[in-house]
Amino acid sequence: MRSPESAYDRRRLRQWLAGEARAAGVSRRTMLRLLTTAGLAGSVPLPLGAPAAAGPGSAAGSAGAADAPGAADAPGIVKPLPGAWFTVRGTNAETRFASLAETGYHTPNERFFVRNHTATPVLTADDWSLTVWGDGLSHGRPVEFTLDDLKRLPAVTRSAFVECAGNGRGLFAAQQGQSVSGTAWTLGAIGAARWRGVRLADVLRRAGLGPGAVDVMPRGLDADYLTADGTNLGRVRRPLPLSKALDDVLLVHEMNGEPLPHDHGHPVRVLVPSWIGIASIKWVGDIQVSARPLYSPWNTDLYRLFGDSHPAQGSEPLTRQTIKSAWELDWDAGLRAGTEHRLTGRSWSGTGGVVRVEVSTDGGGTWRPARMHDTPRRDGWVRWSVLWRPPAPGPYTLLARATDSGGRTQPDTTVHNTQGYLFDAVVRHPVRAV
Ligand SMILES: Nc1nc2c(c(=O)[nH]1)N[C@H]1C(S)=C(S)[C@@H](COP(=O)(O)O)O[C@H]1N2
Ligand SMILES: [Mo]
């Protein structure tokens, strides 16, 4: 069965092929790959040496990106990263899942994971503006919004998690013996917050959304991203289909009742509920509205599934998050044998609320239901608990397996992909009874 996203991708490709002639920043290589995927290579003339998508010059936000004072151990992250809460991974900070046991449903801003391609730009709300531009606007002229302009639109508050597409990536190696590229997160590249902002739909309509628009592409004000081999991919940006943009996407300026912290996109970020984290562009400075399909490295070479089990030219661009569970325990946590413990964890899914969690304390031999503490909600997680008395000292393996409202259950293994996205397998969590 084709997913709506796949149908969407094909529609975009058809629109492209229908001959809106200009290449909107698509590399020849990318175009060739897309055409090959669609079985159309050779049938369409390719624009040679197409220029990178050009923004409206300096209109892409007037805020200056000052160099962020980085924490000593994570260059570019502004907030403190105490070891009890975070594991630093390059320019990123992973939340230690065990530290969430002390928190409620929402992840405190201080403990929320940070995924930075480069460094947090320290921006000032007063200097910030958002430029909405592109040939998908009916009048074709760029429109600017200040934060005060946004705040005059109807306010929306909602809870949602933001989770990196690579969350759990380290388990491809640790649990499945497979090598993948990218940050080797365990399970803490996720946080849930209460966000406040405005509907992107309201902003787009206010900007003069035209009938021909098909894609919108928010872009961050952080620095250009250079890959390990030195290729400049430009500023972080990823197209969204207009249908999603008009559905439930927000532009948010508050996180858990506070102004959005610097590391999480101050003063304004995009929030794309239930989709992979890269869709939720931080420090958004401009949004291109296009009558043609848009491409960026973040929906072509990145954030698709590549590898032996996937189409030679990659899957469709990833959209919704997958399903996962995590124990609020350190790896190899010590638990007293012969004592009853109340163990806790969380489960979530991008395709529906989690309705059932089963746990095993004997490495998967026997299973029993966990006690659920939250109502299943789309875009949210559920907290759960289970009582367990380790019978004798020694090593044990804890497992938790979630099922969502769509009937999807975590599998035993995740199909490999070279960039380690969307790990969804039941995690084997080692503990020691002492
Ligand atoms: N401008 C910009 N937006 C960005 C990123 C970035 O590096 N720059 N990282 C993305 C990725 S990959 C993820 S997972 C989320 C992480 O959001 P957080 O740092 O607030 O937890 O932000 C997304 N938005
Ligand atoms: Mo991410």
Side-chain angles (χ1 to χ4, degrees):
M1 195 187 80
R2 283 206 162 271
S3 66
E5 285 82 24
S6 158
Y8 162 75
D9 210 35
R10 292 176 62 81
R11 182 166 55 82
R12 296 159 94 235
L13 193 54
R14 273 202 307 277
Q15 284 166 326
W16 173 277
L17 297 173
E20 308 269 355
R22 188 168 61 83
V26 185
S27 74
R28 185 180 160 79
R29 186 172 141 244
T30 296
M31 200 60 218
L32 265 174
R33 209 190 49 227
L34 293 169
L35 294 171
T36 309
T37 309
L40 294 164
S43 63
V44 183
L46 286 179
L48 283 161
S58 60
S62 51
D67 277 343
D73 49 359
I77 295 181
V78 171
K79 68 184 175 186
L81 301 170
W85 297 351
F86 291 104
T87 306
V88 171
R89 304 188 187 280
T91 56
N92 316 294
E94 172 171 356
T95 303
R96 292 174 72 121
F97 229 93
S99 90
L100 293 183
E102 301 156 17
T103 69
Y105 183 88
H106 293 117
T107 313
N109 294 355
E110 297 72 26
R111 301 193 190 202
F112 206 99
F113 86 102
V114 180
R115 163 62 176 123
N116 276 355
H117 280 73
T118 59
T120 294
V122 177
L123 307 180
T124 313
D126 287 345
D127 297 336
W128 177 88
S129 68
L130 171 72
T131 305
V132 182
W133 61 279
D135 62 7
L137 297 181
S138 52
H139 48 73
R141 289 185 308 279
V143 180
E144 277 209 32
F145 295 84
T146 63
L147 186 52
D148 285 339
D149 293 335
L150 294 188
K151 287 180 177 172
R152 277 192 282 273
L153 297 172
V156 180
T157 303
R158 75 174 287 167
S159 284
F161 63 73
V162 170
E163 183 189 13
C164 186
N167 195 23
R169 181 183 279 129
L171 294 154
F172 278 100
Q175 188 161 299
Q176 302 189 173
Q178 296 165 332
S179 79
V180 293
S181 60
T183 303
W185 307 103
T186 57
L187 291 169
I190 182 172
R194 196 165 165 76
W195 310 92
R196 183 176 164 86
V198 299
R199 287 187 187 81
L200 177 56
D202 289 343
V203 173
L204 294 176
R205 293 203 177 98
R206 193 60 62 102
L209 184 66
V214 296
D215 274 359
V216 305
M217 181 152 68
R219 181 165 58 161
L221 289 164
D222 38 341
D224 285 5
Y225 175 60
L226 303 181
T227 62
D229 68 6
T231 310
N232 186 341
L233 301 186
R235 287 197 269 133
V236 178
R237 63 201 186 282
R238 190 177 201 248
L240 274 175
L242 187 69
S243 54
K244 178 69 174 174
L246 294 181
D247 179 15
D248 58 357
V249 176
L250 303 182
L251 293 175
V252 299
H253 54 81
E254 267 184 37
M255 181 176 179
N256 294 323
E258 296 166 16
L260 204 56
H262 284 299
D263 295 309
H264 300 291
H266 186 87
V268 176
R269 83 179 295 169
V270 180
L271 177 76
V272 184
S274 75
W275 281 32
I276 55 175
I278 185 62
S280 293
I281 295 294
K282 303 191 277 189
W283 315 292
V284 59
D286 71 294
I287 301 178
Q288 180 180 2
V289 183
S290 176
R292 284 175 280 265
L294 295 174
Y295 298 90
S296 88
W298 288 268
N299 74 338
T300 54
D301 294 327
L302 304 167
Y303 300 101
R304 293 185 182 226
L305 305 178
F306 293 95
D308 289 345
S309 309
H310 303 287
Q313 311 300 327
S315 70
E316 305 110 34
L318 301 180
T319 56
R320 285 186 175 274
Q321 259 298 356
T322 187
I323 185 168
K324 288 190 190 69
S325 300
W327 297 85
E328 292 170 341
L329 281 172
D330 282 329
W331 221 245
D332 293 321
L335 297 164
R336 189 164 297 286
T339 304
E340 188 165 70
H341 299 273
R342 181 176 177 274
L343 304 181
T344 58
R346 298 175 192 236
S347 299
W348 62 95
S349 164
T351 54
V354 168
V355 294
R356 190 169 71 245
V357 177
E358 303 150 284
V359 300
S360 171
T361 51
D362 59 1
T366 58
W367 295 83
R368 59 190 161 116
R371 187 164 162 216
M372 311 287 279
H373 299 288
D374 292 300
T375 310
R377 287 188 42 242
R378 195 167 66 90
D379 318 329
W381 49 21
V382 294
R383 290 167 291 175
W384 44 261
S385 66
V386 60
L387 297 175
W388 181 49
R389 188 192 303 272
Y396 293 85
T397 303
L398 306 182
L399 290 78
R401 180 171 67 198
T403 300
D404 72 19
S405 57
R408 178 169 185 178
T409 299
Q410 289 184 254
D412 292 337
T413 55
T414 302
V415 175
H416 176 261
N417 68 91
T418 56
Q419 293 174 109
Y421 297 128
L422 302 187
F423 189 88
D424 62 352
V426 175
V427 171
R428 304 179 64 82
H429 190 127
V431 296
R432 296 170 295 109
V434 291

